[in-house]
Amino acid sequence: MSSLYVPHKAIIHQVIEESPDTKTFRFKLADEKLHKEFDFKPGQFCEFSVFGEGESTFCISSSPTRKEFLDCSVKKVGKVTETIHKLRKGHTIGFRGPYGNHFPVDELKGKNLIFVGGGIGLAPLRSLIQYVIDKREDYGKITILYGARSVADLCYERDLKKWYKAPDTDLILTVDPGGETPEWAGKIGFVPTILEEINPSKENAKVITCGPPIMIKFTIQALERMGFNPEDIITTLEMKMKCGIGKCGRCNIGHIYVCKHGPVFTYAQIKELPQEF
Amino acid sequence: MELILKKEKLKEFLEQLSKNYEIIAPVKEGELINFKSVKDFTKVVMTYQKSIKSPKEFLFPQCEELYKYKFSGKDVEIKPAEVEKKPKAIVGIHPCDAVAIKILDKLFGWDYKDELYFERRNNTLLISITCNTPDWSCFCTSVEGTPYDADGTDIHFTDTGETYYIEGKSEKGKQILQDNNNLFTEAKKEDKDKVEKIKKEIMEQVPVKFDIKKVTENMDCIFDSKLWDRISVKCIHCGACAYLCPTCHCFDINDEGNYEEGKRIRCWDACMFGHFTKMAGGHNPREDEKTRYRQRIFHKFNYYIKNFDTISCVGCGRCIAECPAGMDLVKTLQLIEKGAEHE
Amino acid sequence: MEDIINIARELIKRDDIEAIIGYEKGRAPFQTVPFFARTPEDCDKLIMNSLCVNNLVSYINQFSGKVAIFVKPCDAKALVGLLQEHQIEREKLHIIGINCQGALNPKKLRNAIKGRMVKDWSINGDKIKVYYESGEEEFNIKDFLLDKCPACDTRTPPIYDELLGDEIKTADLPELLARVKELEKLPAAEKQQYWNEHFERCLRCYACVKICPLCYCERCFVENASPQWIDKSNNLKSNKAFHLIRAYHLAGRCIDCGECDRACPMDIPLRELNLKMRKSVEEHFNYVPGKDIDVPPPLSTFKKEDPQDFIR
């Protein structure tokens, strides 16, 4: 009997509109016992399915420290995500996971953490940010730099408000030039530019970044200029996935399977990969 | 355990075997040799030149159901797929195709054990036969194989002309031979000598085409070589090579049905197709023919070694013999053997 | 052979020609493979004989600059189609026409040598000579022609810039559509059975699509995910739908180069399907694709006085 590819049933509890093209789906595994026992680490991903449409790969954007619900944030980019966006409270979906490696939550202990996110790229970071805020005493200073194309494209408004008030935590928001509104009180400029402007200390620090490929590229360049070591820059990679468990053969970059060895990599590891992603 | 089976008794042996096993064997379909579920054992062609497909599809079907789903109101019922219960015997598998199964085992058992594959695998008897009809495209001897050594099978046949020389390999295989010992006679020394001679003669028919150690050593420094541009031009990116290959295993997962009921299936997919790595947003890390062809070669001769300690090619030559564009894996590997400096 | 090498060597010297598309000898007995000569030395590898079977025109658009191409009548017919459909720029081509008296089926020949190891082979007139490790054997070319060849009425390419040899006229050919007519006569159930048996074998490797010079859609309908026209699984239902839709897409366009037949690893007689469409188009529109670049293809031509209502 196959169980490897058979998803658990999950029930949508709430749908949150994050931006014009992004929604967060808050759900619970239908089997309550299973839901209680379900565990994962920040950075891991899952296969989320709409029966009749197919599976899509998303990171779990909630933290394992908040067990009541699981969150997946979905940007509308294609056929499956379009259907996912039609889901409402009470709908049943399929869920397989958790898969892949995770952010090195133990290694990060005692470190100052700098989060650099762009657009929907904040989703995996959100899981880790919630996690470290919930275990606040284990980690050093937190700096969160988050940007989006426009004010409307900033996701997780409710979280941002909480993080703003969290202890020993700096939250800097920015929007691309032209994306501001008259009331906008945050920064205006591209994420890498603002990062260099706020110039966080590299002492005892680790950077965790995720966003559009172009943002990651320039963020890493900025970090290198600021003297950060490649080992201290952590990001997640995205490739097309189907099985999530290292079998279907399409998410490899060189011999590294993003679904099994990743999706979390340090920049030092990424530099060793063939440039084919 | 070495025995002799007269050729006219093969039918009887298969009949005995079919009491417990579904018999999968090579049969002729037009000009093609194809492995099929057989009931009429007179149709079985034990001595044949390369079946068009490898019998991998009996362990890893081209398309298989993973589960069915059916909604009633908001709730959905999920029914996982079950594999066929009756054991299968794959009869007449060539050593290259048998070795390929061991290569597939590694991938399907990689951390997550693929139950559908292993339920079939553990329920399948493998009866191999020495390949005494290699053709121009065969190169098993270049990838550390031989036309007669089918490691990992249960029973091995060698066609000696009038008879089959039979070796019991696994405990299960030996038991089957024992249970049917009325069909066999003991092999004598001259039978053994004859088989050794046959093996030697076949080896000469499959000369070594390249030094696989050199090839795999050179792989790491050839990723960015201009070689790929040059050799991939001819490729038309169809999936013939991948679908005929006994070790290719990439697949796709899709739903067939509607939002009320249907099934989730997995089907073979191929790295030569453009959509294979194309992401929902449009980005494709392996957009052109060069990167896709390179992926195929690297997957087999570099990545697989790094992850599973073996190359994933058995030298069956199907990808060469059947490529409509005349792509030649042996030529590619010979170029790699020479190294990037010979571009 | 010297002719084509000399022509190629002269052409590649020209600044405006990026590559010459032709054939070289393959590793297998009786195998030739597409070859792209970029230097004078490359040109020495070029060959041209009745074992040059691949249709080369699909490769033209792989090159950004001007190319010279050796075309047999089959390739030239495909070129006519592609030029009519504006897929290739005429100015970017130098076409060298090669006459053809029929091409050989390399697989048939390989079967004829019964597994013997071939050292070399050569073609002289209507004979093919095979040299084994010891001894040699001669075969008659006419016994090994591809199915498409005996009835073919195009022995000289319908389009070229220069032609090797003189134009060839044909006479007393066997009937091209004989097989189609035979199949048409079958009762519906038998016809169904015949095609089902073939389609059941389809692997959906799309070798037929990818080899076809006229199948150039950037995104083939089989790959489309939204809407998904055809199941991904290779069951009879979707295999049949795939091949029938493809045949319709090629109606009035297929120039009968038979590459789909040759490419199919599972020996599905796709050419028969395409010939049936050819027959219908010829009957209804008196049109045969690939013959004349100046005759507009009926299925992509709009006429105000069209006798049928639906199009007006």
Side-chain angles (χ1 to χ4, degrees), chain B residues 213-230:
Chain B
K213 285 220 167 64
K214 198 93 198 278
V215 171
T216 51
E217 270 167 31
N218 284 353
M219 287 300 285
D220 270 324
C221 49
I222 211 158
F223 188 85
D224 292 315
S225 166
K226 285 200 178 70
L227 172 108
W228 303 109
D229 294 290
R230 207 174 66 223

Side-chain angles (χ1 to χ4, degrees), chain C residues 70-104:
Chain C
F70 286 99
V71 297
K72 313 177 295 301
C74 280
D75 306 56
K77 285 191 282 184
L79 259 185
V80 167
L82 291 172
L83 286 164
Q84 282 174 326
E85 294 176 12
H86 309 289
Q87 293 304 311
I88 286 177
E89 291 168 53
R90 183 68 180 86
E91 313 75 62
K92 281 173 66 182
L93 282 182
H94 179 83
I95 310 169
I96 312 140
I98 306 284
N99 289 322
C100 176
Q101 294 286 22
L104 296 173

Side-chain angles (χ1 to χ4, degrees), chain A residues 7 12 16-17 23 26 37 97 101 103 106 111 140 149 161 168 182 189 201 220 241 249 263 266-267 276:
Chain A
I12 305 271
I16 304 157
E17 300 229 9
K23 288 180 182 180
R26 180 156 279 193
E37 287 164 4
N101 70 350
F103 290 115
D106 291 331
K111 301 277 182 190
R149 264 177 315 187
K161 282 180 183 150
D168 201 14
S201 164
I220 287 174
M241 289 180 196
T266 66
Y267 178 52
E276 201 180 73

Side-chain angles (χ1 to χ4, degrees), chain B residues 20 47 83 90 129 143 149 186-187 198 205 210 237 239 243-244 248 284 300 322 338:
Chain B
N20 300 316
T47 300
V83 304
I90 301 180
I129 185 163
V143 286
D149 190 12
E186 281 294 319
I198 289 171
Q205 286 181 51
F210 49 81
H237 344 292
Y243 286 1
L244 301 178
C248 271
N284 190 349
K300 294 194 171 300
E322 295 302 326
K338 282 190 207 146

Side-chain angles (χ1 to χ4, degrees), chain A residues 1-5 7 9 49 52-55 92 240 242 246-248 250 252 255 257 260 276, chain B residues 66 69 74 76 107 110-112 114-115 119 251-252 255 259 264 269 276 278 286 294-295 307:
Chain A
M1 194 186 85
S2 72
S3 61
L4 209 47
Y5 303 97
K9 282 190 273 184
S49 55
E53 193 65 67
E55 282 182 323
T92 305
K240 183 167 176 176
K242 281 287 183 171
K247 314 250 181 269
C248 78
R250 46 168 67 54
N252 70 300
H255 76 288
Y257 279 66
K260 270 179 60 65
E276 201 180 73
Chain B
L66 298 171
Y69 62 89
K74 280 188 172 171
V76 65
L107 182 274
W110 196 23
D111 296 351
Y112 297 88
D114 194 295
E115 303 116 322
E119 271 178 46
F251 59 82
D252 196 1
D255 283 13
Y259 299 136
R264 183 155 294 166
D269 206 348
F276 188 65
K278 191 170 180 179
R286 294 196 279 270
R294 181 174 64 189
Q295 159 70 16
N307 288 323

Side-chain angles (χ1 to χ4, degrees), chain C residues 133-171:
Chain C
E133 287 296 320
S134 61
E136 51 190 61
E137 195 174 359
E138 212 166 52
F139 296 99
N140 280 325
I141 278 184
K142 70 169 181 18
D143 299 334
F144 294 92
L145 291 175
L146 286 163
D147 291 346
K148 66 177 175 176
C149 297
C152 171
D153 65 356
T154 316
R155 304 293 177 170
T156 292
I159 185 172
Y160 53 81
D161 291 314
E162 54 179 310
L163 177 69
L164 258 74
D166 302 319
E167 289 205 13
I168 304 178
K169 292 272 176 274
T170 50

